[in-house]
Amino acid sequence: MLTLSTSRRPAFACLLLLPLLLAVVPATAMAQGARSEPPARLLYVVREGDTFIASNVLFSRTDEFELAAQERVAEERRDNAVLIVATNRRLIGYSVYTAAWVTLPLKAGERLEQLEAEDYSGFALTSRRIMNFNGRTGEWSESRR
């Protein structure tokens, strides 16, 4: 039989419980992670004719954007916090963080090939350029292809 002095008994008991604690803590953390909710939707969009109305949940406001005469929507994409609209004349991005509409003109003869929006970013691929919309800063970036 193993005999321990009274001063070492608490330390020995902790060593016996250590494997149990190491097994329980990660399992609890994983269970909490599995129940986590997706991010709350921050943007809803209403389109009335040539007007886009962004309902910005983050700042509890709405922001409108009206297309120009003879401007037609080719595609639009939206996700959690951004809206990206491609027209026959330009790309339009809306960010809930800046609560602003930001446009980027298309070049003569440029054709849209791909348009995407995901969470806080937008992506546009044309026959001439690669463009990104940063939903956190509300800025477009572009590079030639």
PDB file of all heavy atoms in Angstrom, residues 87-111:
ATOM      1  N   THR A  87     -23.866  47.007 -63.561  1.00  0.00           N
ATOM      2  CA  THR A  87     -24.769  47.549 -64.583  1.00  0.00           C
ATOM      3  C   THR A  87     -24.028  47.576 -65.918  1.00  0.00           C
ATOM      4  O   THR A  87     -22.875  47.176 -66.002  1.00  0.00           O
ATOM      5  CB  THR A  87     -25.249  48.975 -64.227  1.00  0.00           C
ATOM      6  OG1 THR A  87     -24.186  49.901 -64.419  1.00  0.00           O
ATOM      7  CG2 THR A  87     -25.776  49.050 -62.797  1.00  0.00           C
ATOM      8  N   ASN A  88     -24.689  48.079 -66.915  1.00  0.00           N
ATOM      9  CA  ASN A  88     -24.048  48.211 -68.220  1.00  0.00           C
ATOM     10  C   ASN A  88     -23.007  49.331 -68.242  1.00  0.00           C
ATOM     11  O   ASN A  88     -22.250  49.453 -69.195  1.00  0.00           O
ATOM     12  CB  ASN A  88     -25.093  48.452 -69.313  1.00  0.00           C
ATOM     13  CG  ASN A  88     -25.950  49.676 -69.046  1.00  0.00           C
ATOM     14  OD1 ASN A  88     -26.260  49.995 -67.895  1.00  0.00           O
ATOM     15  ND2 ASN A  88     -26.357  50.364 -70.095  1.00  0.00           N
ATOM     16  N   ARG A  89     -22.910  50.121 -67.153  1.00  0.00           N
ATOM     17  CA  ARG A  89     -21.969  51.240 -67.101  1.00  0.00           C
ATOM     18  C   ARG A  89     -20.924  51.162 -65.986  1.00  0.00           C
ATOM     19  O   ARG A  89     -19.871  51.751 -66.086  1.00  0.00           O
ATOM     20  CB  ARG A  89     -22.734  52.552 -66.907  1.00  0.00           C
ATOM     21  CG  ARG A  89     -23.611  52.905 -68.060  1.00  0.00           C
ATOM     22  CD  ARG A  89     -24.253  54.230 -67.797  1.00  0.00           C
ATOM     23  NE  ARG A  89     -25.110  54.588 -68.903  1.00  0.00           N
ATOM     24  CZ  ARG A  89     -25.847  55.656 -68.927  1.00  0.00           C
ATOM     25  NH1 ARG A  89     -25.841  56.491 -67.896  1.00  0.00           N
ATOM     26  NH2 ARG A  89     -26.601  55.916 -69.955  1.00  0.00           N
ATOM     27  N   ARG A  90     -21.274  50.491 -64.887  1.00  0.00           N
ATOM     28  CA  ARG A  90     -20.390  50.540 -63.729  1.00  0.00           C
ATOM     29  C   ARG A  90     -20.675  49.409 -62.754  1.00  0.00           C
ATOM     30  O   ARG A  90     -21.667  48.698 -62.867  1.00  0.00           O
ATOM     31  CB  ARG A  90     -20.544  51.868 -63.016  1.00  0.00           C
ATOM     32  CG  ARG A  90     -21.967  52.143 -62.551  1.00  0.00           C
ATOM     33  CD  ARG A  90     -22.139  53.533 -62.039  1.00  0.00           C
ATOM     34  NE  ARG A  90     -23.555  53.897 -61.956  1.00  0.00           N
ATOM     35  CZ  ARG A  90     -23.990  54.992 -61.418  1.00  0.00           C
ATOM     36  NH1 ARG A  90     -23.121  55.857 -60.917  1.00  0.00           N
ATOM     37  NH2 ARG A  90     -25.264  55.271 -61.381  1.00  0.00           N
ATOM     38  N   LEU A  91     -19.785  49.320 -61.759  1.00  0.00           N
ATOM     39  CA  LEU A  91     -19.984  48.452 -60.613  1.00  0.00           C
ATOM     40  C   LEU A  91     -20.338  49.342 -59.433  1.00  0.00           C
ATOM     41  O   LEU A  91     -19.780  50.429 -59.270  1.00  0.00           O
ATOM     42  CB  LEU A  91     -18.710  47.670 -60.293  1.00  0.00           C
ATOM     43  CG  LEU A  91     -18.257  46.682 -61.359  1.00  0.00           C
ATOM     44  CD1 LEU A  91     -16.887  46.135 -61.014  1.00  0.00           C
ATOM     45  CD2 LEU A  91     -19.258  45.554 -61.505  1.00  0.00           C
ATOM     46  N   ILE A  92     -21.269  48.881 -58.632  1.00  0.00           N
ATOM     47  CA  ILE A  92     -21.726  49.653 -57.476  1.00  0.00           C
ATOM     48  C   ILE A  92     -21.595  48.755 -56.248  1.00  0.00           C
ATOM     49  O   ILE A  92     -22.080  47.624 -56.246  1.00  0.00           O
ATOM     50  CB  ILE A  92     -23.196  50.085 -57.650  1.00  0.00           C
ATOM     51  CG1 ILE A  92     -23.377  50.841 -58.965  1.00  0.00           C
ATOM     52  CG2 ILE A  92     -23.662  50.906 -56.452  1.00  0.00           C
ATOM     53  CD1 ILE A  92     -24.820  50.912 -59.438  1.00  0.00           C
ATOM     54  N   GLY A  93     -20.928  49.258 -55.218  1.00  0.00           N
ATOM     55  CA  GLY A  93     -20.790  48.508 -53.985  1.00  0.00           C
ATOM     56  C   GLY A  93     -21.398  49.280 -52.830  1.00  0.00           C
ATOM     57  O   GLY A  93     -21.275  50.505 -52.756  1.00  0.00           O
ATOM     58  N   TYR A  94     -22.071  48.562 -51.951  1.00  0.00           N
ATOM     59  CA  TYR A  94     -22.607  49.170 -50.728  1.00  0.00           C
ATOM     60  C   TYR A  94     -22.071  48.389 -49.542  1.00  0.00           C
ATOM     61  O   TYR A  94     -22.103  47.161 -49.527  1.00  0.00           O
ATOM     62  CB  TYR A  94     -24.139  49.150 -50.695  1.00  0.00           C
ATOM     63  CG  TYR A  94     -24.684  49.741 -49.411  1.00  0.00           C
ATOM     64  CD1 TYR A  94     -24.824  51.105 -49.268  1.00  0.00           C
ATOM     65  CD2 TYR A  94     -25.010  48.929 -48.323  1.00  0.00           C
ATOM     66  CE1 TYR A  94     -25.299  51.662 -48.080  1.00  0.00           C
ATOM     67  CE2 TYR A  94     -25.478  49.472 -47.138  1.00  0.00           C
ATOM     68  CZ  TYR A  94     -25.617  50.835 -47.025  1.00  0.00           C
ATOM     69  OH  TYR A  94     -26.073  51.382 -45.846  1.00  0.00           O
ATOM     70  N   SER A  95     -21.584  49.113 -48.540  1.00  0.00           N
ATOM     71  CA  SER A  95     -21.059  48.513 -47.324  1.00  0.00           C
ATOM     72  C   SER A  95     -21.846  49.009 -46.125  1.00  0.00           C
ATOM     73  O   SER A  95     -22.045  50.212 -45.981  1.00  0.00           O
ATOM     74  CB  SER A  95     -19.585  48.899 -47.156  1.00  0.00           C
ATOM     75  OG  SER A  95     -19.156  48.670 -45.836  1.00  0.00           O
ATOM     76  N   VAL A  96     -22.263  48.094 -45.256  1.00  0.00           N
ATOM     77  CA  VAL A  96     -22.964  48.535 -44.050  1.00  0.00           C
ATOM     78  C   VAL A  96     -22.024  49.273 -43.104  1.00  0.00           C
ATOM     79  O   VAL A  96     -22.468  50.125 -42.340  1.00  0.00           O
ATOM     80  CB  VAL A  96     -23.650  47.367 -43.295  1.00  0.00           C
ATOM     81  CG1 VAL A  96     -24.737  46.748 -44.122  1.00  0.00           C
ATOM     82  CG2 VAL A  96     -22.672  46.341 -42.821  1.00  0.00           C
ATOM     83  N   TYR A  97     -20.729  48.976 -43.154  1.00  0.00           N
ATOM     84  CA  TYR A  97     -19.786  49.613 -42.234  1.00  0.00           C
ATOM     85  C   TYR A  97     -19.542  51.077 -42.568  1.00  0.00           C
ATOM     86  O   TYR A  97     -19.337  51.892 -41.680  1.00  0.00           O
ATOM     87  CB  TYR A  97     -18.465  48.850 -42.196  1.00  0.00           C
ATOM     88  CG  TYR A  97     -18.632  47.533 -41.492  1.00  0.00           C
ATOM     89  CD1 TYR A  97     -18.766  46.357 -42.203  1.00  0.00           C
ATOM     90  CD2 TYR A  97     -18.695  47.475 -40.106  1.00  0.00           C
ATOM     91  CE1 TYR A  97     -18.951  45.157 -41.558  1.00  0.00           C
ATOM     92  CE2 TYR A  97     -18.884  46.271 -39.447  1.00  0.00           C
ATOM     93  CZ  TYR A  97     -19.013  45.113 -40.176  1.00  0.00           C
ATOM     94  OH  TYR A  97     -19.206  43.929 -39.534  1.00  0.00           O
ATOM     95  N   THR A  98     -19.561  51.428 -43.843  1.00  0.00           N
ATOM     96  CA  THR A  98     -19.379  52.826 -44.228  1.00  0.00           C
ATOM     97  C   THR A  98     -20.712  53.498 -44.534  1.00  0.00           C
ATOM     98  O   THR A  98     -20.765  54.711 -44.656  1.00  0.00           O
ATOM     99  CB  THR A  98     -18.473  52.930 -45.465  1.00  0.00           C
ATOM    100  OG1 THR A  98     -19.081  52.225 -46.547  1.00  0.00           O
ATOM    101  CG2 THR A  98     -17.094  52.366 -45.177  1.00  0.00           C
ATOM    102  N   ALA A  99     -21.768  52.690 -44.668  1.00  0.00           N
ATOM    103  CA  ALA A  99     -23.103  53.198 -45.011  1.00  0.00           C
ATOM    104  C   ALA A  99     -23.028  54.083 -46.245  1.00  0.00           C
ATOM    105  O   ALA A  99     -23.616  55.154 -46.292  1.00  0.00           O
ATOM    106  CB  ALA A  99     -23.730  53.927 -43.832  1.00  0.00           C
ATOM    107  N   ALA A 100     -22.267  53.622 -47.242  1.00  0.00           N
ATOM    108  CA  ALA A 100     -22.056  54.430 -48.447  1.00  0.00           C
ATOM    109  C   ALA A 100     -22.089  53.558 -49.695  1.00  0.00           C
ATOM    110  O   ALA A 100     -21.710  52.390 -49.672  1.00  0.00           O
ATOM    111  CB  ALA A 100     -20.706  55.140 -48.356  1.00  0.00           C
ATOM    112  N   TRP A 101     -22.530  54.177 -50.777  1.00  0.00           N
ATOM    113  CA  TRP A 101     -22.512  53.567 -52.104  1.00  0.00           C
ATOM    114  C   TRP A 101     -21.232  54.030 -52.798  1.00  0.00           C
ATOM    115  O   TRP A 101     -20.957  55.226 -52.836  1.00  0.00           O
ATOM    116  CB  TRP A 101     -23.717  54.020 -52.905  1.00  0.00           C
ATOM    117  CG  TRP A 101     -25.036  53.627 -52.305  1.00  0.00           C
ATOM    118  CD1 TRP A 101     -25.790  54.359 -51.442  1.00  0.00           C
ATOM    119  CD2 TRP A 101     -25.737  52.418 -52.525  1.00  0.00           C
ATOM    120  NE1 TRP A 101     -26.929  53.670 -51.112  1.00  0.00           N
ATOM    121  CE2 TRP A 101     -26.931  52.472 -51.768  1.00  0.00           C
ATOM    122  CE3 TRP A 101     -25.487  51.280 -53.299  1.00  0.00           C
ATOM    123  CZ2 TRP A 101     -27.864  51.444 -51.764  1.00  0.00           C
ATOM    124  CZ3 TRP A 101     -26.417  50.250 -53.291  1.00  0.00           C
ATOM    125  CH2 TRP A 101     -27.593  50.345 -52.521  1.00  0.00           C
ATOM    126  N   VAL A 102     -20.476  53.103 -53.345  1.00  0.00           N
ATOM    127  CA  VAL A 102     -19.221  53.432 -54.014  1.00  0.00           C
ATOM    128  C   VAL A 102     -19.251  52.822 -55.413  1.00  0.00           C
ATOM    129  O   VAL A 102     -19.510  51.630 -55.572  1.00  0.00           O
ATOM    130  CB  VAL A 102     -18.004  52.882 -53.228  1.00  0.00           C
ATOM    131  CG1 VAL A 102     -16.706  53.298 -53.881  1.00  0.00           C
ATOM    132  CG2 VAL A 102     -18.046  53.356 -51.774  1.00  0.00           C
ATOM    133  N   THR A 103     -18.985  53.652 -56.417  1.00  0.00           N
ATOM    134  CA  THR A 103     -19.064  53.180 -57.804  1.00  0.00           C
ATOM    135  C   THR A 103     -17.682  53.102 -58.444  1.00  0.00           C
ATOM    136  O   THR A 103     -16.751  53.797 -58.048  1.00  0.00           O
ATOM    137  CB  THR A 103     -19.965  54.092 -58.648  1.00  0.00           C
ATOM    138  OG1 THR A 103     -19.379  55.389 -58.719  1.00  0.00           O
ATOM    139  CG2 THR A 103     -21.364  54.187 -58.062  1.00  0.00           C
ATOM    140  N   LEU A 104     -17.604  52.245 -59.446  1.00  0.00           N
ATOM    141  CA  LEU A 104     -16.387  52.073 -60.235  1.00  0.00           C
ATOM    142  C   LEU A 104     -16.823  51.921 -61.689  1.00  0.00           C
ATOM    143  O   LEU A 104     -17.522  50.960 -62.020  1.00  0.00           O
ATOM    144  CB  LEU A 104     -15.629  50.824 -59.760  1.00  0.00           C
ATOM    145  CG  LEU A 104     -14.289  50.527 -60.391  1.00  0.00           C
ATOM    146  CD1 LEU A 104     -13.272  51.614 -60.031  1.00  0.00           C
ATOM    147  CD2 LEU A 104     -13.782  49.179 -59.908  1.00  0.00           C
ATOM    148  N   PRO A 105     -16.463  52.880 -62.559  1.00  0.00           N
ATOM    149  CA  PRO A 105     -16.933  52.812 -63.943  1.00  0.00           C
ATOM    150  C   PRO A 105     -16.313  51.652 -64.713  1.00  0.00           C
ATOM    151  O   PRO A 105     -15.160  51.293 -64.492  1.00  0.00           O
ATOM    152  CB  PRO A 105     -16.506  54.147 -64.549  1.00  0.00           C
ATOM    153  CG  PRO A 105     -15.691  54.844 -63.535  1.00  0.00           C
ATOM    154  CD  PRO A 105     -15.671  54.048 -62.284  1.00  0.00           C
ATOM    155  N   LEU A 106     -17.107  51.069 -65.605  1.00  0.00           N
ATOM    156  CA  LEU A 106     -16.579  50.074 -66.526  1.00  0.00           C
ATOM    157  C   LEU A 106     -15.917  50.784 -67.695  1.00  0.00           C
ATOM    158  O   LEU A 106     -16.294  51.907 -68.051  1.00  0.00           O
ATOM    159  CB  LEU A 106     -17.701  49.162 -67.035  1.00  0.00           C
ATOM    160  CG  LEU A 106     -18.343  48.244 -65.995  1.00  0.00           C
ATOM    161  CD1 LEU A 106     -19.528  47.502 -66.603  1.00  0.00           C
ATOM    162  CD2 LEU A 106     -17.335  47.268 -65.420  1.00  0.00           C
ATOM    163  N   LYS A 107     -14.936  50.148 -68.292  1.00  0.00           N
ATOM    164  CA  LYS A 107     -14.248  50.719 -69.450  1.00  0.00           C
ATOM    165  C   LYS A 107     -14.990  50.332 -70.727  1.00  0.00           C
ATOM    166  O   LYS A 107     -15.754  49.371 -70.737  1.00  0.00           O
ATOM    167  CB  LYS A 107     -12.806  50.229 -69.479  1.00  0.00           C
ATOM    168  CG  LYS A 107     -12.042  50.663 -68.240  1.00  0.00           C
ATOM    169  CD  LYS A 107     -10.607  50.190 -68.268  1.00  0.00           C
ATOM    170  CE  LYS A 107      -9.945  50.490 -66.962  1.00  0.00           C
ATOM    171  NZ  LYS A 107      -9.209  51.676 -66.872  1.00  0.00           N
ATOM    172  N   ALA A 108     -14.759  51.072 -71.771  1.00  0.00           N
ATOM    173  CA  ALA A 108     -15.420  50.801 -73.059  1.00  0.00           C
ATOM    174  C   ALA A 108     -15.102  49.373 -73.509  1.00  0.00           C
ATOM    175  O   ALA A 108     -13.946  48.956 -73.506  1.00  0.00           O
ATOM    176  CB  ALA A 108     -14.958  51.800 -74.103  1.00  0.00           C
ATOM    177  N   GLY A 109     -16.130  48.622 -73.856  1.00  0.00           N
ATOM    178  CA  GLY A 109     -15.962  47.260 -74.341  1.00  0.00           C
ATOM    179  C   GLY A 109     -15.688  46.213 -73.268  1.00  0.00           C
ATOM    180  O   GLY A 109     -15.511  45.038 -73.573  1.00  0.00           O
ATOM    181  N   GLU A 110     -15.662  46.609 -72.026  1.00  0.00           N
ATOM    182  CA  GLU A 110     -15.385  45.667 -70.942  1.00  0.00           C
ATOM    183  C   GLU A 110     -16.626  44.819 -70.659  1.00  0.00           C
ATOM    184  O   GLU A 110     -17.727  45.340 -70.524  1.00  0.00           O
ATOM    185  CB  GLU A 110     -14.989  46.461 -69.686  1.00  0.00           C
ATOM    186  CG  GLU A 110     -14.408  45.649 -68.582  1.00  0.00           C
ATOM    187  CD  GLU A 110     -13.813  46.514 -67.481  1.00  0.00           C
ATOM    188  OE1 GLU A 110     -14.270  47.662 -67.284  1.00  0.00           O
ATOM    189  OE2 GLU A 110     -12.892  46.040 -66.813  1.00  0.00           O
ATOM    190  N   ARG A 111     -16.451  43.499 -70.574  1.00  0.00           N
ATOM    191  CA  ARG A 111     -17.554  42.573 -70.328  1.00  0.00           C
ATOM    192  C   ARG A 111     -17.417  41.926 -68.951  1.00  0.00           C
ATOM    193  O   ARG A 111     -16.339  41.466 -68.578  1.00  0.00           O
ATOM    194  CB  ARG A 111     -17.549  41.451 -71.374  1.00  0.00           C
ATOM    195  CG  ARG A 111     -17.858  41.882 -72.779  1.00  0.00           C
ATOM    196  CD  ARG A 111     -17.792  40.713 -73.776  1.00  0.00           C
ATOM    197  NE  ARG A 111     -16.851  39.642 -73.453  1.00  0.00           N
ATOM    198  CZ  ARG A 111     -15.539  39.662 -73.728  1.00  0.00           C
ATOM    199  NH1 ARG A 111     -15.006  40.702 -74.317  1.00  0.00           N
ATOM    200  NH2 ARG A 111     -14.765  38.640 -73.403  1.00  0.00           N
TER     201      ARG A 111
END
